[in-house]
Amino acid sequence: MTATEQLELVSANKVHGGWLKRYRHRSGSLDCDMVFAIYLPPQAEQGPVPMLWWLSGLTCTDENFMQKAGAQRMAAELGIALICPDTSPRGVDLPGEDESYDFGSGAGFYVNATREPWARHYRMYDYVTEELPALVKRHFPVDGERESISGHSMGGHGALICALKNPGRYRSVSAFAPIVNPSACPWGEKAFSGYLGDDRAQWAQWDSCELVKRSRESGASRQELFIDQGENDQFLDNELMPERLEAVCAEHGHPLILRRHPGYDHSYFFMASFIEEHLAYHAKHLL
């Protein structure tokens, strides 16, 4: 076993008959130590179970979703493993990595950085689509042929681009309040210019709206996108703008379910209210 394959158990808690565990490992793609969380339902004791990847939003770690969303009860009932990576490299001592909440630590944006000094460590796309899945499949009783993906805010953006860029990889994809057009919102413009440079043509490969526009010519996935959005979300008008993705999907015939929920904001209270419906949606495709 190589150094990048060794897992150090950080914590373990039994919940709804299964086990929520956190592990630390050395990431080769990020060149630093990383922590991820995995919930294995009771069914994993009898054999491999399907996987649902969860990508979290700005400022989050692997713990936010596992502690606040209340997903384990339904995951245990359905027999689905939940895997939650961190949202960025940690402690790599890059200048400015801890100066703001929306760039650097806790804000990897699930892209592969090409601009120095970020390119050495900030390769979150490779980490969540290649390195961590391979690690999980080697060490845990999961079915490598059955995986879906979901996420919130920045993580919703991550889930959408991972699915759109990898046709056939994920059985289903969903998102809560995703950043759908990062090339044209303050959060995305700051992150993309920092990680990718000023060539906006390079940004398009990490933008859900642009991927849908170019799906026929680029071969991007055309699977259904399932999105929930709170109408009282404080970031709705300036950062999220789901109507942009809605318009692009309508224009290009891309299947989209976009549900708007009056009164709900951007918090985990919103996710906790509808996470079981998302799990049921993914179960239809995974099971």
Side-chain angles (χ1 to χ4, degrees):
M1 184 181 296
T2 66
T4 56
E5 293 178 316
Q6 294 176 356
L7 297 179
E8 175 192 348
L9 181 64
V10 176
S11 64
N13 299 94
K14 191 156 190 177
V15 54
H16 293 295
W19 284 95
L20 171 59
K21 297 184 178 183
R22 300 180 71 223
Y23 290 91
R24 181 179 293 108
H25 74 109
R26 183 71 183 178
S27 167
S29 57
L30 304 180
D31 193 22
C32 66
D33 288 346
M34 292 292 287
V35 173
F36 69 93
I38 181 168
Y39 175 68
L40 292 169
Q43 294 87 339
E45 296 181 6
Q46 280 73 52
V49 294
M51 298 175 285
L52 175 62
W53 294 92
W54 176 269
L55 305 184
S56 294
L58 290 168
T59 75
C60 290
T61 69
D62 62 287
E63 293 186 283
N64 297 71
F65 173 76
M66 290 298 191
Q67 292 185 5
K68 296 180 179 180
Q72 291 91 347
R73 187 200 67 78
M74 188 74 162
E77 180 180 318
L78 296 169
I80 296 174
L82 307 173
I83 308 106
C84 187
D86 203 347
T87 53
S88 77
R90 301 283 176 174
V92 292
D93 297 324
L94 296 180
E97 70 176 344
D98 296 318
E99 290 181 358
S100 60
Y101 78 96
D102 53 358
F103 185 78
S105 296
F109 265 82
Y110 305 101
V111 303
N112 284 339
T114 56
R115 189 178 187 181
E116 296 300 338
W118 310 97
R120 176 180 173 184
H121 299 287
Y122 277 68
R123 303 185 60 82
M124 286 298 294
Y125 177 77
D126 280 356
Y127 180 68
V128 301
T129 61
E130 296 179 14
E131 182 181 11
L132 188 57
L135 189 72
V136 167
K137 291 170 187 177
R138 282 195 298 270
H139 288 273
F140 300 98
V142 294
D143 184 344
E145 300 300 316
R146 291 188 293 165
E147 55 184 333
S148 293
I149 192 165
S150 186
H152 168 239
S153 193
M154 178 186 72
H157 143 77
L160 293 176
I161 63 166
C162 286
L164 289 167
K165 289 167 70 69
N166 294 277
R169 164 73 180 274
Y170 303 99
R171 297 285 183 95
S172 51
V173 56
S174 74
F176 288 85
I179 305 169
V180 301
N181 193 196
S183 296
C185 75
W187 279 341
E189 289 176 332
K190 179 177 180 177
F192 284 9
S193 61
Y195 296 136
L196 306 172
D198 297 327
D199 183 1
R200 287 178 173 260
Q202 298 299 314
W203 297 8
Q205 65 179 307
W206 309 106
D207 187 304
S208 297
C209 285
E210 295 299 323
L211 288 170
V212 169
K213 285 180 187 177
R214 305 175 187 195
S215 61
R216 296 189 188 279
E217 58 192 69
S218 67
S221 170
R222 294 187 57 78
Q223 76 185 118
E224 182 177 81
L225 311 177
F226 176 35
I227 295 173
D228 274 338
Q229 175 63 61
E231 291 187 342
N232 278 34
D233 193 313
Q234 59 270 45
F235 305 110
L236 180 61
D237 295 331
N238 294 325
E239 303 286 2
L240 308 178
M241 298 171 285
E243 67 277 2
R244 293 185 180 180
L245 182 62
E246 187 175 39
V248 169
C249 286
E251 179 182 355
H252 294 271
H254 194 110
L256 169 69
I257 299 173
L258 173 57
R259 307 193 307 181
R260 293 176 169 88
H261 301 276
Y264 287 93
D265 57 22
H266 200 68
S267 72
Y268 267 86
F269 294 110
F270 174 43
M271 281 168 277
S273 299
F274 298 100
I275 190 63
E276 293 196 352
E277 294 181 30
H278 280 243
L279 287 168
Y281 174 80
H282 291 296
K284 289 192 302 182
H285 298 273
L286 289 169
L287 305 176

